[in-house]
Amino acid sequence: MQQSAQQAQQLDHLSSAPPSPAGPGGSPFAAFGMPAFAGPPPPAPPEPRPILELEGEEYEDELDALSDWVDDFLLPVYGAEVTTAAPWCLRWQEHDDVVAWLHALWLAYQQHRDPEAGLSGLLVWHRDFLTHAVAAVRAPGGPLSACMTSPERPAHRLLPGPPPSVRSEKTLPPASGTRDSYELAS
């Protein structure tokens, strides 16, 4: 009798519905990332921000993490030889445009190595991001062109950017019915 009672208890347990991974009232499709029918959608992950929009400690922390990735992964694997056709700078963190390029490349790397990117995620990263970013950063006339072009001659120089646009305000007579317009100063 006791054995029959245990078997009945096991059958009841096995025939009951498994607990929902999303809790009571959860979605039967929770395993696929879909919200419950009546519930609110799950909160979205924080949006990544471009590194040049960060300030203070937040910028420094992001730059440290980026530098680790560049020094420990990107350069050893994809750094290639430093030449006049592919310059590099040991102080690349001081080149804002290079920091922006490499940060965007790092964010894309993180996205494409995620399992949700699928088996071809890293191939897409190589094809669509790595090749273009490295070519732009290390171009002979690019942002590092005034820096090291030979490992025997380390160099660093920030190239000046173009000055801001010069504009002068020119107002039209009120009778014309048009708003103020701007034109480039000569």
Side-chain angles (χ1 to χ4, degrees):
M1 288 294 264
Q2 187 179 9
Q3 190 176 16
S4 293
Q6 285 177 344
Q7 287 176 345
Q9 210 174 26
Q10 283 179 338
L11 286 173
D12 286 343
H13 175 72
L14 291 172
S15 64
S16 65
S20 172
S27 170
F29 306 107
F32 302 105
M34 297 177 68
F37 293 116
E47 291 287 325
R49 291 178 41 210
I51 193 168
L52 297 181
E53 290 181 5
L54 306 177
E55 294 179 355
E57 191 173 325
E58 190 178 16
Y59 174 83
E60 292 300 323
D61 291 345
E62 192 74 0
L63 186 60
D64 286 344
L66 173 62
S67 297
D68 289 343
W69 180 76
V70 169
D71 293 339
D72 298 340
F73 174 73
L74 186 68
L75 289 179
V77 177
Y78 303 103
E81 185 178 7
V82 174
T83 66
T84 54
W88 185 247
C89 184
L90 298 175
R91 294 167 50 185
W92 61 266
Q93 297 93 339
E94 296 176 26
H95 297 265
D96 285 344
D97 45 357
V98 173
V99 169
W101 271 104
L102 294 177
H103 187 254
L105 183 63
W106 180 46
L107 292 177
Y109 174 77
Q110 292 175 61
Q111 176 185 358
H112 285 84
R113 69 183 287 260
D114 187 276
E116 289 185 16
L119 296 175
S120 62
L122 286 174
L123 178 63
V124 171
W125 178 76
H126 280 87
R127 181 194 68 201
D128 294 349
F129 300 95
L130 175 70
T131 305
H132 182 68
V134 170
V137 167
R138 297 190 67 188
L144 302 178
S145 61
C147 294
M148 182 170 59
T149 57
S150 169
E152 288 80 37
R153 294 186 311 271
H156 168 72
R157 191 175 102 198
L158 294 175
L159 298 174
S165 299
V166 178
R167 295 176 172 247
S168 63
E169 189 173 323
K170 177 182 174 186
T171 54
L172 299 176
S176 69
T178 60
R179 297 183 293 178
D180 293 345
S181 64
Y182 294 92
E183 66 180 31
L184 288 174
S186 302

